[in-house]
Amino acid sequence: MNLEILGNTDAFLHAHVWPRYEWEPAHLVGRPVWLYPHEHWSDQQFALGPQHNAMREAIKRELHLLSGNDHS
């Protein structure tokens, strides 16, 4: 898991949480995910979509619980 807080151009703090996988190339594991080729970021097979909705909702629920805001 990589956690990144980059830049200071927003008026609020935001972070990126990047899961890391065993299938990743050895030369990229443990390095910034931004080092992947540009094609990786624009390829539709890697795009966020409806197939991720359940995971997004689970993360949202957990963040609400952790923040003490357990109501939706």
Side-chain angles (χ1 to χ4, degrees), residues 5 7 9-10 12 14 19-21 25 27-28 31 33-34 39 44-46 48 55 59-60 65 67 69:
I5 300 174
T9 59
D10 292 322
F12 54 88
H14 77 276
R20 302 313 297 253
Y21 302 94
H27 70 282
L28 290 175
R31 307 218 36 224
V33 295
W34 304 109
E39 298 77 32
Q44 283 299 309
Q45 74 172 329
F46 302 112
L48 182 66
M55 179 175 52
I59 291 169
K60 181 180 169 183
L65 288 172
S67 70
N69 183 10

Side-chain angles (χ1 to χ4, degrees), residues 42-62:
S42 57
D43 190 324
Q44 283 299 309
Q45 74 172 329
F46 302 112
L48 182 66
Q51 71 274 25
H52 301 105
N53 287 348
M55 179 175 52
R56 291 172 70 188
E57 286 301 315
I59 291 169
K60 181 180 169 183
R61 281 192 304 273
E62 188 64 23

